[in-house]
Amino acid sequence: MDFWTQSLAVDDEFEKLVLRMNPPRVTVDNTSSRKATLIKVDSANKRGSLLELVQVLTDMNLIIRRAYISSDGEWFMDVFHVTDQHGNKLLEDDVAERIQQSLGPRACSFRSTRRSVGFQAAVENTTIELTGRDRPGLLSEIFAVLTDHKCNVVAAEVWTHNSRMASVVYITDEETGSPIDDNNRLKKIERLLLSVLMEDRDNKSANTAVSAGGTHTERRLHQMMYADRDYDMNGLNGGSGDQRKSLVTVEGCVERGYTVVNLRSPDRPKLLFDTVCTLTDMQYVVYHAAITAEGPEAYQEYYIRHTDGYPISLEAERQRLIHCLDAAIKRRTSEVTAIEMYSFIHLLIQLEIWCSFLPKLVLFQQGIRLELCSDDRIGLLSDVTRIFRENGLSVTRAEVTTRGSQAINVFYVIDSSGNLVKSQTIEAVRKEIGSTILHVKEDEYLKSPPQESGRFSLGNLFRTRSEKFLFNLGFIKSYS
């Protein structure tokens, strides 16, 4: 074990040396495309380089419209067509510098200064990780336990999928505002939270973990749900099986020694991060990829191998990859697809009942999005989630952030039966919490960005200058 640990340390130091000798080169091109900014990155290749880069772009709140990825060898060269969240080109002068700082040898220290749900510094708070079976009122009970034991929730994020729940919660001591380092107190909190998670005695285990280390929240949530096997479809209705097969395909590319993965799904923010994160956590290496996300649907094509250098050879492994990618895509969305949403809205408009059917509400893929902006105080989350529970609301996803003295929280809610919430219920909740601090957010996911062109594949990457580079690598045949 000592030799193995020492070997890892040597490898880590060698990677840092290589990065110092060959720091990432980032260029920003605002002239080649009318509708997007091109970010080109090339650097020495190492395991996880692609995920690290996509994570940086995602944390900068950039929307990736297209991407061309090549990392076959000791070097990786990637091109990303990005916009801001409003679909505009990037106007900041320091974009390249910020990306370079995040990818360079000082990346860890650079990220640790950020205070957001995306990344939390190790020294500022205590981290609690929770996984278990989802049920109505669960989040309310979790926050109630923390409030009762004098814990202040600094930030948190909650995901639900396939009847499972995963949450990363960052807490400090209510009185001192510092991380909690009393082991006996932490063990008691952990034991109480575990009893809350195990209340329904389901046949899947519940887990709690407490740490003082920093973590990238969304990356960790993917790892937690993957470890909790939320991709396991046993016991679920098989009605969505055909849809799942059309969403993700995994095929062989024998002449090149790759496995080719194709994904087609409704587009949404952070979709690329979710799929690359899953491929990395499942020990696959992306050698080449082509991404298009310029309309209501996104298309992704990956040429991958396992970390041992071999493509997928077993049918069971192929099916597992399909299910895991499908789960990664759906963790941020409900079973209702964007296309079904469009059809439903169109039907309401045709029937001329849109205004009377859902006044002041807009449909969301995960339910109704509620934004809470108010002065932060101890017990705020406990009170808000209790009111949700008392009014029959179930939280499918939550993002909790504090900025100075302000609490900025986002909740996606449905009713206890899994249906859309009635407008009267939302208004009652807003009245009880405060209509000036709790708002229904307009749905940005239903707005389609302008389209430049249709779907493409690595098999026809000769249409633009950035595509010619990958085309010259020999990827002519399409496997989509």
Side-chain angles (χ1 to χ4, degrees), residues 143-373:
F143 288 139
V145 168
L146 295 175
T147 300
D148 290 345
H149 289 79
K150 309 301 180 182
C151 299
N152 181 38
V153 178
V154 177
E157 187 148 355
V158 182
W159 287 2
T160 62
H161 174 250
N162 199 9
S163 300
R164 306 300 297 172
M165 182 281 301
S167 176
V168 178
V169 184
Y170 302 94
I171 62 172
T172 57
D173 181 77
E174 177 182 313
E175 296 181 357
T176 67
S178 303
I180 300 173
D181 53 11
D182 184 338
N183 286 332
N184 291 330
R185 180 181 174 188
L186 289 174
K187 286 180 180 178
K188 182 178 181 181
I189 293 172
E190 190 175 0
R191 186 171 63 253
L192 290 171
L193 290 173
L194 186 61
S195 66
V196 169
L197 293 170
M198 293 291 290
E199 184 176 289
D200 60 355
R201 308 291 187 201
D202 71 86
N203 58 359
K204 275 193 175 184
S205 62
N207 290 291
T208 62
V210 177
S211 70
T215 181
H216 187 277
T217 308
E218 294 177 334
R219 173 85 192 277
R220 186 66 190 127
L221 284 167
H222 275 301
Q223 292 172 334
M224 290 164 62
M225 298 208 89
Y226 173 65
D228 197 43
R229 298 179 64 89
D230 73 315
Y231 58 86
D232 190 352
M233 305 303 292
N234 291 336
L236 296 183
N237 294 333
S240 60
D242 293 336
Q243 178 189 3
R244 206 162 48 246
K245 288 180 181 178
S246 65
L247 185 68
V248 183
T249 63
V250 177
E251 300 172 353
C253 178
V254 179
E255 61 268 35
R256 295 287 180 179
Y258 295 112
T259 295
V260 184
V261 179
N262 278 282
L263 296 91
R264 177 180 59 84
S265 71
D267 188 30
R268 60 169 175 77
K270 302 186 180 182
L271 179 62
L272 179 60
F273 170 80
D274 294 339
T275 54
V276 172
C277 186
T278 299
L279 289 170
T280 303
D281 290 339
M282 293 184 71
Q283 306 298 309
Y284 294 110
V285 178
V286 176
Y287 288 88
H288 304 281
I291 314 298
T292 295
E294 294 176 323
E297 283 198 317
Y299 302 93
Q300 302 181 15
E301 185 173 55
Y302 299 95
Y303 285 71
I304 67 170
R305 293 185 186 129
H306 199 268
T307 50
D308 61 11
Y310 291 97
I312 294 175
S313 58
L314 300 176
E315 176 62 20
E317 185 181 2
R318 190 182 75 86
Q319 289 296 327
R320 183 165 170 265
L321 176 57
I322 290 174
H323 291 159
C324 288
L325 287 172
D326 186 49
I329 292 170
K330 292 180 179 178
R331 282 170 191 152
R332 296 184 198 260
T333 59
S334 70
E335 294 301 315
V336 180
T337 67
I339 294 174
E340 289 170 334
M341 285 289 191
Y342 299 146
S343 301
F344 182 57
I345 293 172
H346 183 63
L347 175 62
L348 292 177
I349 293 173
Q350 282 186 323
L351 296 176
E352 297 182 351
I353 60 172
W354 172 245
C355 294
S356 61
F357 185 79
L358 282 176
K360 301 182 182 180
L361 298 184
V362 184
L363 293 175
F364 280 83
Q365 295 183 49
Q366 269 203 317
I368 302 299
R369 173 172 167 140
L370 302 178
E371 292 189 355
L372 175 70
C373 300

